[in-house]
Amino acid sequence: MRLRVIRPRPAGRRPATPSAAASDRPSGPRPDRRRKRRRTLAAPAAVARLLAPAGRRLAPLAALLAPYARKLKPVYPRPGRTGWRRWLPSWRQWLGGTLGAIGLTGVFLVVAYAATDIPQNLNSYATQQDNVYFWSDGTPMARTGWVQRQAMPLKDIPPDVRWAVLAAENETFYSDPGISFKGLTRALWRTVGEGDTEGGSTITQQYVKNVYLNQNRTVTRKFTEAMIALKLDNKMSKDKILEGYLNTSWFGRGTYGIQRAAQAYYGKDVGQLNAGEAAFLASLLKGAGLYDPTLSKANHQRAVERWNWILDRMVKIGKLSARERATYTTFPEPLKTNPLYDTGQQSDYLVELASQYAKKAAHLSDKDFDLGGFQIYTTFDRKREETLTKVVTDAREQAKSTEPDLAKSAHYGAASVATDGRIIAVYGGPDHRTQGYNESNAATVPAGSAFQPFVYAAGLQHGVVKKRDAPRARITPDTVYDGDDGVPVTTPEGPYWDRSGRKVAAHNDGGKDWGKIPLRKALARSVNTPFMQLGMDTGLDKVKQTAVACGLLDSSIGPQVPALSLGSSTPSAIRMASGYATFAADGMHTEPYSVHRITRNGSEVRLDASPARRAVDASVARQVTDALTDAFRTAHPTAAPAGAPVAGKAGTTEDDTAAWYAGTAASVSTAVVVYRMDLAKSLEPLPLKGLAGTAAHSVPYTIWSGAMAPLG
C-alpha cells in the first residue's frame, strides 16, 4: 500500500486541467531529471571514495591533534577569566599564530626565491658611454671619455685596496649569505615608518643594484635586490662579485670603477695605491658629493674623519697592522681636478659651459649625466670661436713681448652672445690644465664705465625724482646734467654723506669738466658725473632692477651706494655681452644658453628653455643703442662703414684695475675684459699700468673688433 501526501492548494490558484498540463509539456521526449540528479550527487561521492584511504591514514593524527586544535581555537570572551584578561589570547594561541606566520613567511620566501631569475642583461650603470658635443653646425666638437670604466681583474687590485673597501662597506662579505637581514629589516622599518629607505646593503646587494636594477629607493626594489643577491651568492664566487663591484661602483668626478677613480683622484693606476689612498677612495662609496675634499671645507672634514675610521676598521678586522696604521697620519690629499678630464684645449671651457647648462636645463644629476650616452648640440660657432681664440692669443703674445713682467699676471676674458641668447663663442683662458676656471664666466672685476648704459636705461625707463615727495618725471636723451668734475651728489633730501661724514662727489677721467651736457652725449663721451647723479635721481634700486632684467646676475651687482652707477658691479663677460644684446634686441632679454638640443641614444631629452621677456621698453632700448652707436662712432669714426649697425662702448675703472669693451654688430654682442691678478698671492685686482693700452689704442677694443670683423 502506498501513501500519498496531499499538500494544500494556495488560495486563489485553480488546479490545472489535464488538458492544460499536457499542452505545457514540450513536444519532444521528457528530460530525465532524476538521471541528472543522480550524476550530480555521484561526483562528490566519487571524490570521497578516492580520498577515503588518505582520510583513514590521517584519522589517528587528526584525533591526536584535535584537543590541541580545540584549545587553539579562540573563544571570546575566554571562559574562566574576568575583566580585560577575558580578551587576551592564551599562550597556546599566541604560539600557534606565531608559528603559522613564520611558516607562511617561509613558504612565501621559498616561492619568491625559486621564482627569481638573475637578469641576463646588465643595465646602464655597468655599460658606460661617452658624451659627445657638437658645434652649432652639427659637426663633432668634443668627446668626453672620462666616464668610461676600465675593468681590472681582482688579482691586479692590491689587497689593501680590497680590504679598505670591505672594511668601509661590508667586512663580513666573505662569510655572509649575500644579504644583511639586519640591514633589510632596518630598511623596511624606515620605509614603512618614515617613507624612506636606509642603507645596510651588503656588497653583493650593492653590486646587484649597480648592474641589474635601478636606483629607486622602494621596498619592491629592495626585496628584488635581496632575492637576486641570494641567488647570485650561490652561483658566483665571492671574488667575482667583489671584482664586479669594484669595477662598476661610482666614485664621483665622472668615474666608475676603482681604476678610473685612482687615476682621477691620484693620477696613478690602482696597483700603485697605498692603504691610505685606498681608504680615501673607499670613503667615496658613501657619497662622492659629501666626501670629495676639493668641493668644500665641510667635505674635507668629513673625508678626513671617515678616512681615519676606515683605517682603524682595517686594524680591527686584522687586515692592517697597528704598526702600519701608525704610518698613516697625514691625509692623502687628492688632485684638485680630474686629469682624465683636462685636455688643455680651449674646447674644454666650452664643454664645461655646455655640460653645466645641459644638467640644469634637462634636470640631470651629476651621476646621471656621467653615465654618458648623451649627444649635446651646442650653440658655439666654430669660426667665431677660432677667430676669438686667435685674437686673444695674439694679444697675450704681444703683451709677453712688450710687458713681460705685467703679462705674467694678465687675464683676458671674452664672450659673444646673440640677441636671442645663444652663446656664440667664449675665451676661457690659455690652458684648462693650468687655469681650470673660465675667464668668460668669472665675476671678478668691476665693470667701470661699461655699466653706464644700464643707468641710462633705468633713468629712461623709470624717470627721476629730484625733490622729496615729488612725482617721477620723465627724462629724454636730451635731458641736461652737470658734467663738471667733483660735482657733489645729491638726494631729494639734500647732499649725500658717506659713513665718514664727508660729502660724496663724482669725478671724471682726467678730472675734466664738461659743463652742462645731454645724457646721450655724456654716454657717448663716457662722462661719469652725470650718471652718478642720474642713478641717485632714478633710485639705485631701479638701477639694480634694470641691470638684472637686462641680464646681469643679482649676485654680481654692487652695493646700493652712489658708486653703483660708476660700475662697482662685477659681471662676467658672458653676462655683460648678454646685457648689451638686450638693448640690440629692442629690450627683449633671453637668458644666455649654450645648448639648444640634447638626445640620448637617439631619443630627445626635454630642455627647460627660458623664454624671452621684456626687460625695458623698445623705445628705451633703441635710445640706449643710439647712444652706444654715437660712442662707437666718436671713438672709432672709420672702423665701420657709414650706416652700419655697430654700437659699442669702452669701460674703465677709477683705480685702473680693469679695462672693458662691449658692443654689438650683426645681432651679436661681444664683451672683452682685461685685468691683472696674481692668483698665487691674492684675489685682489692689480693696476693695469698700461697693459690694456691707451684710450685710442685699447687692447679690449682690438680684441673686440677682431672677433667681430668685418664690422658692417
Side-chain angles (χ1 to χ4, degrees), residues 21 75 132 150 163 167 169 418 433 692:
V75 179
V132 183
Q150 181 180 347
W163 282 106
E169 296 293 308
R433 291 171 299 186

mmCIF file of all heavy atoms in Angstrom, residues 21 75 132 150 163 167 169 418 433 692:
data_model
loop_
_atom_site.group_PDB
_atom_site.id
_atom_site.type_symbol
_atom_site.label_atom_id
_atom_site.label_comp_id
_atom_site.label_asym_id
_atom_site.label_seq_id
_atom_site.Cartn_x
_atom_site.Cartn_y
_atom_site.Cartn_z
ATOM 1 N N ALA A 21 -2.241 20.892 -18.619
ATOM 2 C CA ALA A 21 -0.910 20.401 -18.265
ATOM 3 C C ALA A 21 -0.255 19.762 -19.452
ATOM 4 O O ALA A 21 0.931 19.933 -19.685
ATOM 5 C CB ALA A 21 -1.038 19.409 -17.101
ATOM 6 N N VAL A 75 38.160 31.465 21.733
ATOM 7 C CA VAL A 75 36.805 31.603 22.261
ATOM 8 C C VAL A 75 36.760 32.916 23.026
ATOM 9 O O VAL A 75 37.485 33.087 24.019
ATOM 10 C CB VAL A 75 36.435 30.423 23.188
ATOM 11 C CG1 VAL A 75 35.032 30.614 23.742
ATOM 12 C CG2 VAL A 75 36.565 29.106 22.458
ATOM 13 N N VAL A 132 78.966 63.158 -26.297
ATOM 14 C CA VAL A 132 79.515 63.780 -27.498
ATOM 15 C C VAL A 132 78.916 65.171 -27.655
ATOM 16 O O VAL A 132 77.700 65.353 -27.565
ATOM 17 C CB VAL A 132 79.218 62.929 -28.754
ATOM 18 C CG1 VAL A 132 79.866 63.555 -29.985
ATOM 19 C CG2 VAL A 132 79.712 61.500 -28.563
ATOM 20 N N GLN A 150 87.249 51.216 -16.738
ATOM 21 C CA GLN A 150 88.287 50.292 -17.173
ATOM 22 C C GLN A 150 88.294 49.123 -16.198
ATOM 23 O O GLN A 150 88.720 49.244 -15.062
ATOM 24 C CB GLN A 150 89.661 50.964 -17.199
ATOM 25 C CG GLN A 150 90.777 50.050 -17.674
ATOM 26 C CD GLN A 150 92.125 50.754 -17.676
ATOM 27 O OE1 GLN A 150 92.185 51.968 -17.563
ATOM 28 N NE2 GLN A 150 93.189 49.986 -17.795
ATOM 29 N N TRP A 163 90.548 45.407 0.957
ATOM 30 C CA TRP A 163 90.113 45.377 2.346
ATOM 31 C C TRP A 163 89.738 46.754 2.876
ATOM 32 O O TRP A 163 88.953 46.870 3.823
ATOM 33 C CB TRP A 163 91.170 44.714 3.216
ATOM 34 C CG TRP A 163 91.104 43.230 3.073
ATOM 35 C CD1 TRP A 163 91.963 42.418 2.403
ATOM 36 C CD2 TRP A 163 90.077 42.385 3.580
ATOM 37 N NE1 TRP A 163 91.550 41.117 2.455
ATOM 38 C CE2 TRP A 163 90.380 41.056 3.182
ATOM 39 C CE3 TRP A 163 88.919 42.598 4.339
ATOM 40 C CZ2 TRP A 163 89.579 39.973 3.504
ATOM 41 C CZ3 TRP A 163 88.118 41.514 4.668
ATOM 42 C CH2 TRP A 163 88.449 40.217 4.253
ATOM 43 N N ALA A 167 86.282 46.933 4.604
ATOM 44 C CA ALA A 167 86.190 47.496 5.954
ATOM 45 C C ALA A 167 85.171 48.624 6.006
ATOM 46 O O ALA A 167 84.468 48.802 7.000
ATOM 47 C CB ALA A 167 87.564 47.996 6.410
ATOM 48 N N GLU A 169 82.562 49.081 3.778
ATOM 49 C CA GLU A 169 81.231 48.765 3.294
ATOM 50 C C GLU A 169 80.650 47.452 3.816
ATOM 51 O O GLU A 169 79.447 47.349 4.030
ATOM 52 C CB GLU A 169 81.248 48.722 1.752
ATOM 53 C CG GLU A 169 81.572 50.048 1.096
ATOM 54 C CD GLU A 169 80.489 51.079 1.316
ATOM 55 O OE1 GLU A 169 79.314 50.786 1.039
ATOM 56 O OE2 GLU A 169 80.815 52.177 1.802
ATOM 57 N N ALA A 418 74.438 86.112 -28.924
ATOM 58 C CA ALA A 418 73.475 86.605 -29.908
ATOM 59 C C ALA A 418 72.289 87.244 -29.203
ATOM 60 O O ALA A 418 72.041 87.006 -28.012
ATOM 61 C CB ALA A 418 73.010 85.459 -30.803
ATOM 62 N N ARG A 433 94.311 73.056 -18.223
ATOM 63 C CA ARG A 433 95.084 72.271 -17.254
ATOM 64 C C ARG A 433 95.743 73.164 -16.205
ATOM 65 O O ARG A 433 95.905 72.763 -15.053
ATOM 66 C CB ARG A 433 96.156 71.459 -17.982
ATOM 67 C CG ARG A 433 95.598 70.342 -18.850
ATOM 68 C CD ARG A 433 96.678 69.734 -19.706
ATOM 69 N NE ARG A 433 97.273 70.708 -20.610
ATOM 70 C CZ ARG A 433 98.163 70.410 -21.556
ATOM 71 N NH1 ARG A 433 98.567 69.167 -21.694
ATOM 72 N NH2 ARG A 433 98.641 71.339 -22.345
ATOM 73 N N ALA A 692 96.624 97.385 -20.815
ATOM 74 C CA ALA A 692 95.440 97.364 -21.667
ATOM 75 C C ALA A 692 95.493 98.410 -22.761
ATOM 76 O O ALA A 692 94.509 98.620 -23.472
ATOM 77 C CB ALA A 692 94.189 97.570 -20.823
#
